Amino acid sequence: MSIDINGKIFAETPRPGQCLRTFLRELGHFGVKKGCDAGDCGACTVLLDGEPVHSCVIPAFRADGHAVTTIEGLGSETRAHPLQQAFLDAQGFQCGFCTAGMILTCASLNQAQRQELGVALKGNICRCTGYRSIEDALDGKTNVEDAAAGSAFGRSLPAPAGPLVVRGTARYTFDVQLDGLLHIKLLRSPHPHARIVAIDKTAALAVPGVHAVLTHEDAPKRLFSTALHEKAWMDPDDTRVLDDIVRFVGQKVAAVIAENEAAAEEGCRRLKVGYDILPAVTDPALAITPDAPIIHGGKSADIHRVSDASRNIVAETHGEFGDVAGALAISAATYEGTFTTQRVQHAALETHGGLAWIDTDGILNVRSSTQVPYLTRRSLAQIFDRPLDSVRVFCERVGGGFGGKQEMFVEDILALAAIATGRPVKLEFTREEQFIATSTRHPMRVIVRAGADSRGMLTALQLDVLSNTGAYGNHAGPVLFHAVSECISVYNCPNKKVDAIAAYTNTLPSGAFRGYGLPQTLFAVEAAIDELAKQLGINPFEMRRRNIVKPGDPMLSPPPSDYHDVRYGSYGLDQCIDLVERAMSAERPRYALSEDWLIGEGIALTMIDTVPPAGHLSDSTITLRDDGGFELTVGTAEFGNGTSTVHRQLAATALATTVDRISLRQSDTALGGHDTGAYGSAGTFVAGRATQAAAENLADAIKTFASELSSTGAADCTLENETAICGAERRSFLELARAARASGRTLHGSGNSAGTPRSVAFNVQGFRVAVNKGTGEVRILKSVQAADAGRVANPMQCRGQIEGGVAQSLGAALYEELVIDDSGKVINPTFRDYHLPSFADVPRCEVYFAETSDTIGPMGAKSMSESPYNPVTAALGNAIADATGIRFTSTPFKPDRLFPALLEKFGRAPDEPGQSIV
């Protein structure tokens, strides 16, 4: 065989059945990513004789005699390809996992194809950006800015890893080669509920290359939660590394460790497992009835933190302020509705996985795709009864997270296998495993009751919530409590009531997901606000203005919280409402529509606490290097959230330097310090405050040292343009670094943040939609979001976070749905059967920022990672109701879901299809 790869001839022969993607990666071309295994996502795109192909579905032998170009070979060693440079200039990426494939596809397009990007890019999925910045790259737009020394904060500076991302040399979890690597494959349960009575390993161990088979008999008995929080008591201890009871279809039963994946898979097929089938329940409403099968019998509230195992209730909350029933009875307008939301998968393009090994010092090393390396280390140390300093967890670049990697789904098995074999081990989930064995957004049933007086002032708000946490309680309580909090505390109302339950079922577990419960309940609450406004003849914008909290108002939801540290660090909700109303009322374009299309508008708002309660910790250190630059060390992870850029901006601003003078080390527990993790909207707000404190402390240390050299008081010294100025004397940072080294000193600063007090962020979303009354199709004509992000640290990045959040949330609102049948089995575990938004699906969103500066956040900034996602479904539901006059109360808003009600109201569709929208 002879394959030309990036201009170099390779004579290696692929294994029988090996796909081109795996063959290329084994040769070290790590820019070719594994995303879906089925040719659906485009992350593995390469050029074959100049044409883009998905290398995961091309047999490697078919490349014989052909030229293959991977992202590493698109440009030269000294010069980027024009498309690579265009993606840099436009910053057409966030996590970057899809970027190599996206660039190669874009580089192959001719001018005609560029006119139809929805068609041309249909084979390349981006989960992060919302596609606008990718389109900007193809249009040759430049979105990045420069910044003079000391002025980095507030500027649209590029991501530090950008050059590596566009060249395909940024290293993600599996972009590394280890000698002696063994591979793990997992046997999974075919039953929703069963007790394992026997596992015969004999045939599996006889497979050539199989080293070990691990079962519940080999695993620690300790119970833990896959959810990871700073305070472990937030989640129930209900999970084992490997259990003798399986509680959902897809739960891991055994791990086979072998020389290669094929041997490990064959070992799994040959395992013989005896099951004692147990009764199962998949409906949360049935699960909490007295006669339902008990899923976690024997677990208690005081020891395991399971609220009532006898009723399959893992968590619950109940409370009332005032008298809701009495208020509803005398209200001028009332509304009651039952809303349901579906399971949604995170669909990060890099699946869960990692590598583990024990080094010569006896340290257990785990290289993982995780948002929470420090909490993972703590959990592994506890499970395996190891000293904390004998465990290291780290990540390089992470290919998307969205909350799904605030879990420990693979690291426990990796650790068990590394300890058992003494060899380096690898576990990488397939896309199917990602769908059937990780977690989803919590499906919820929400009953809302609301009332208002004749002036449009709210008199009552009541929520009754049933959340389906699945087989395990990871995040069940915190998601439930968050779901019923800010959605009603953003409104002033004298009478509020909450009853909420999270129920175990024998289905795939739910977990942390962007928005953390609020999108589900906002769908109901914001519908109720609109319905009350409609009854009273009040404009929806005005209805909200009359009832939203304002600075000085208490932010209340029952029962009373134990945490009272939420502040109005800045308040821009009123501005956000005004910005969206102004944008929505701007002159409308003419729409070429047939009579079948109905047009409507809708809005929704959200408030979110910028940090979880009960503590979120972060440490940061920064040192003046010998060359006059700086080395910054932070714990927080980068997975497209942009914190790597913001941390350098914060430090550069405080130290009167430029971001290129600051090198960054992060996401590695071996570097010391602690960081709770990149979740809960804390990456900038908490970790950023630690970095700001560290940089300011180093600035003080530099001024003090410079003052000693000049015999000038430190108070009279300033930093300017990489120079310390003390009176008439100026010393560059390079001079000071040399002087410090000569005197045996190191100039450094450290900072930390405890995540308290907390602030609040606000977002308002508006939509104009067209609904086809004959087919149920929904088209988005206009999308607008306004955000109060405080002082925006990086406008380009923040805009991208908002656009990506809106795009991801639109997928959940319109079509994304993980379907589980009555037996508990996921029936659409592939991208092909689970519709992710592609380029053509996502309308461009107008983004506006309120002009505020947060008094708590770093340099006036606050979070904007989760909150853009939250109001989208609610606003879309309100727009559809405005268009059709029908209140649809279940998501997703698929045409076949809308059609029956539309047919009942408007009659049968005409024989001839209506004219489409221009």
Side-chain angles (χ1 to χ4, degrees):
M1 256 187 89
S2 175
I3 303 178
D4 180 335
I5 304 175
N6 299 331
K8 182 179 178 180
I9 302 300
F10 287 81
E12 282 82 355
T13 300
R15 297 189 301 275
Q18 187 175 31
C19 71
L20 181 59
R21 178 200 63 202
T22 305
F23 180 69
L24 292 170
R25 286 184 60 81
E26 288 183 356
L27 292 175
H29 300 285
F30 293 127
V32 185
K33 301 300 184 201
K34 176 182 177 180
C36 70
D37 311 305
D40 295 330
C41 75
C44 68
T45 299
V46 299
L47 301 182
L48 188 62
D49 294 336
E51 293 296 319
V53 297
H54 292 178
S55 60
C56 69
V57 293
I58 300 291
F61 78 86
R62 290 193 175 176
D64 186 16
H66 297 276
V68 175
T69 304
T70 73
I71 190 67
E72 295 94 337
L74 187 62
S76 67
E77 292 184 2
T78 59
R79 186 177 180 84
H81 184 276
L83 248 299
Q84 290 173 318
Q85 188 60 51
F87 269 71
L88 269 182
D89 293 340
Q91 291 287 281
F93 56 87
Q94 285 183 26
C95 85
F97 198 80
C98 73
T99 304
M102 190 74 71
I103 290 175
L104 284 165
T105 297
C106 290
S108 72
L109 302 181
N110 58 38
Q111 287 303 314
Q113 290 170 317
R114 286 188 176 216
Q115 303 308 308
E116 296 289 343
L117 289 179
V119 175
L121 297 181
K122 66 181 180 181
N124 290 82
I125 297 294
C126 176
R127 191 58 160 166
C128 298
T129 65
Y131 297 101
R132 188 268 313 161
S133 60
I134 293 171
E135 186 173 19
D136 284 354
L138 281 163
D139 289 342
K141 293 183 180 179
T142 297
N143 295 325
V144 298
E145 300 178 297
D146 293 324
S151 65
F153 194 85
R155 306 287 289 179
S156 294
L157 300 186
L164 302 180
V165 168
V166 301
R167 288 179 176 269
T169 54
R171 290 294 175 247
Y172 294 81
T173 306
F174 298 106
D175 298 340
V176 65
Q177 293 174 324
L178 295 178
D179 293 333
L181 185 67
L182 299 178
H183 298 263
I184 304 171
K185 285 294 179 178
L186 300 174
L187 179 70
R188 298 189 177 278
S189 170
H191 306 295
H193 200 193
R195 183 181 301 278
I196 298 171
V197 294
I199 300 179
D200 186 348
K201 306 177 183 179
T202 307
L205 288 170
V207 174
V210 170
H211 283 250
V213 176
L214 303 176
T215 71
H216 65 89
E217 295 176 340
D218 306 296
K221 305 298 183 185
R222 184 181 182 119
L223 289 166
F224 62 95
S225 176
T226 61
L228 297 171
H229 286 100
E230 182 63 40
K231 307 296 184 183
W233 50 258
M234 288 187 170
D235 304 287
D237 287 337
D238 61 3
T239 304
R240 285 184 58 194
V241 177
L242 291 166
D243 207 330
D244 61 343
I245 296 179
V246 291
R247 297 178 173 89
F248 70 97
V249 176
Q251 181 171 330
K252 55 186 183 291
V253 171
V256 177
I257 308 155
E259 291 288 343
N260 53 64
E261 290 187 356
E265 288 175 349
E266 181 61 22
C268 286
R269 283 190 285 269
R270 295 194 187 186
L271 284 171
K272 297 179 181 179
V273 184
Y275 295 100
D276 177 14
I277 307 302
L278 302 174
V281 58
T282 59
D283 185 324
L286 296 177
I288 61 176
T289 60
D291 297 328
I294 297 175
I295 299 172
H296 283 277
K299 295 186 175 71
S300 64
D302 55 341
I303 297 175
H304 305 100
R305 300 184 292 280
V306 175
S307 179
D308 186 351
S310 68
R311 294 183 56 210
N312 292 321
I313 296 175
V314 61
E316 57 188 317
T317 182
H318 307 275
E320 183 173 13
F321 297 148
D323 179 5
V324 167
L328 288 171
I330 61 173
S331 295
T334 61
Y335 175 77
E336 178 175 342
T338 300
F339 294 75
T340 58
T341 60
Q342 80 281 22
R343 292 181 183 274
V344 179
Q345 229 288 323
H346 306 82
L349 289 192
E350 181 186 45
T351 61
H352 280 78
L355 303 103
W357 65 94
I358 298 175
D359 63 25
T360 55
D361 295 322
I363 305 297
L364 171 64
N365 292 267
V366 180
R367 176 189 175 104
S368 172
S369 182
T370 179
Q371 296 173 222
V372 282
Y374 286 82
L375 298 189
T376 301
R377 175 182 66 162
R378 183 181 69 187
S379 189
L380 291 176
Q382 293 170 347
I383 292 169
F384 293 97
D385 195 24
R386 297 176 69 94
L388 192 63
D389 61 3
S390 73
V391 181
R392 175 198 180 201
V393 178
F394 69 103
C395 56
E396 290 195 48
R397 197 163 180 89
V398 175
F402 316 114
K405 294 174 182 176
Q406 193 196 337
E407 305 266 7
M408 190 173 67
F409 289 131
V410 297
E411 294 87 351
D412 53 345
I413 283 288
L414 282 163
L416 180 66
I419 293 169
T421 64
R423 294 268 297 274
V425 293
K426 172 186 175 181
L427 173 59
E428 182 177 10
F429 278 5
T430 64
R431 181 54 56 185
E432 180 175 348
E433 286 181 298
Q434 193 75 16
F435 274 103
I436 69 171
T438 58
S439 66
T440 68
R441 188 175 71 170
H442 286 77
M444 291 188 188
R445 182 223 65 200
V446 182
I447 301 173
V448 62
R449 299 178 181 90
D453 64 21
S454 59
R455 300 168 301 149
M457 306 303 293
L458 291 174
T459 57
L461 277 174
Q462 180 178 353
L463 290 178
D464 185 333
V465 178
L466 178 60
S467 174
N468 184 351
T469 195
Y472 293 91
N474 38 308
H475 296 279
V479 165
L480 187 73
F481 305 148
H482 194 238
V484 298
S485 178
E486 291 103 297
C487 67
I488 59 174
S489 60
V490 71
Y491 288 111
N492 283 316
C493 182
N495 305 287
K496 296 179 180 179
K497 185 177 182 181
V498 165
D499 290 288
I501 288 173
Y504 284 124
T505 61
N506 292 113
T507 60
L508 176 72
S510 305
F513 196 110
R514 194 176 197 173
Y516 214 65
L518 283 178
Q520 296 96 305
T521 50
L522 278 165
F523 177 36
V525 171
E526 291 296 297
I529 300 297
D530 255 35
E531 292 295 331
L532 293 175
K534 186 183 304 181
Q535 291 180 40
L536 295 168
I538 299 173
N539 177 282
F541 290 95
E542 180 58 29
M543 185 72 179
R544 288 167 174 81
R545 286 192 185 95
R546 295 181 187 183
N547 290 284
I548 54 173
V549 292
K550 298 176 179 63
D553 294 338
M555 294 175 274
L556 298 176
S557 60
S561 174
D562 294 331
Y563 305 97
H564 307 285
D565 60 338
V566 179
R567 307 281 186 267
Y568 292 102
S570 72
Y571 182 85
L573 180 54
D574 52 351
Q575 292 184 52
C576 291
I577 293 174
D578 292 346
L579 287 165
V580 172
E581 184 175 34
R582 192 176 305 126
M584 294 297 294
S585 62
E587 184 177 357
R588 297 186 183 187
R590 294 176 62 88
Y591 301 114
L593 300 171
S594 72
E595 294 181 355
D596 295 330
W597 292 94
L598 307 168
I599 295 180
E601 295 183 356
I603 63 161
L605 59 81
T606 183
M607 176 178 74
I608 189 170
D609 297 344
T610 52
V611 184
H616 196 105
L617 311 179
S618 185
D619 298 324
S620 182
T621 61
I622 187 165
T623 303
L624 178 64
R625 298 194 310 254
D626 289 348
D627 65 357
F630 300 90
E631 184 172 82
L632 173 63
T633 302
V634 299
T636 190
E638 172 63 58
F639 51 97
N641 49 350
T643 53
S644 295
T645 314
V646 172
H647 280 284
R648 296 207 311 171
Q649 290 180 265
L650 288 164
T653 301
L655 289 162
T657 188
T658 54
V659 292
D660 60 290
R661 300 292 293 157
I662 296 175
S663 62
L664 183 65
R665 303 189 304 165
Q666 63 186 122
S667 314
D668 187 341
T669 62
L671 300 177
H674 178 76
D675 189 274
T676 296
Y679 70 89
S681 303
T684 291
F685 194 81
V686 179
R689 281 194 288 182
T691 289
Q692 181 185 1
E696 289 174 347
N697 288 336
L698 176 54
D700 289 340
I702 291 172
K703 287 186 282 189
T704 298
F705 183 67
S707 70
E708 294 171 1
L709 297 179
S710 61
S711 301
T712 305
D716 297 323
C717 292
T718 59
L719 301 185
E720 179 182 301
N721 195 22
E722 301 187 336
T723 302
I725 304 171
C726 296
E729 297 188 27
R730 291 174 173 260
R731 286 185 171 84
S732 69
F733 290 165
L734 177 59
E735 292 177 78
L736 293 171
R738 289 173 175 171
R741 185 178 65 231
S743 63
R745 296 169 62 175
T746 299
L747 299 180
H748 70 276
S750 61
N752 57 72
S753 175
T756 185
R758 299 177 284 157
S759 187
V760 285
F762 301 101
N763 296 73
V764 177
Q765 175 72 43
F767 283 116
R768 181 179 303 129
V769 303
V771 183
N772 190 303
K773 62 185 179 183
T775 66
E777 180 185 359
V778 177
R779 298 273 184 96
I780 295 172
L781 307 179
K782 189 179 184 70
S783 172
V784 180
Q785 186 164 131
D788 172 17
R791 186 182 170 207
V792 181
N794 188 309
M796 173 185 63
Q797 278 194 172
C798 196
R799 178 186 175 191
Q801 286 289 304
I802 293 170
E803 292 169 335
V806 171
Q808 189 179 42
S809 196
L810 277 174
L814 287 171
Y815 37 75
E816 289 187 45
E817 182 175 22
L818 194 69
V819 182
I820 296 180
D821 66 17
D822 291 340
S823 71
K825 181 181 179 181
V826 175
I827 63 173
N828 60 332
T830 65
F831 280 161
R832 190 158 300 184
D833 297 319
Y834 179 91
H835 185 175
L836 285 178
S838 64
F839 186 97
D841 295 318
V842 180
R844 300 302 171 253
C845 183
E846 298 176 28
V847 176
Y848 301 93
F849 292 110
E851 295 183 3
T852 65
S853 182
D854 199 85
T855 58
I856 305 171
M859 296 187 183
K862 57 186 174 186
S863 66
M864 198 47 57
S865 55
E866 293 187 85
S867 53
Y869 184 102
N870 294 347
V872 171
T873 295
L876 190 61
N878 286 339
I880 293 172
D882 183 53
T884 64
I886 304 170
R887 174 60 63 181
F888 294 96
T889 59
S890 294
T891 56
F893 300 124
K894 293 181 178 181
D896 61 325
R897 305 278 181 88
L898 272 57
F899 176 75
L902 293 168
L903 177 64
E904 181 178 352
K905 181 173 181 177
F906 298 107
R908 187 165 299 279
D911 292 335
E912 294 297 325
Q915 184 177 357
S916 62
I917 296 174
V918 177

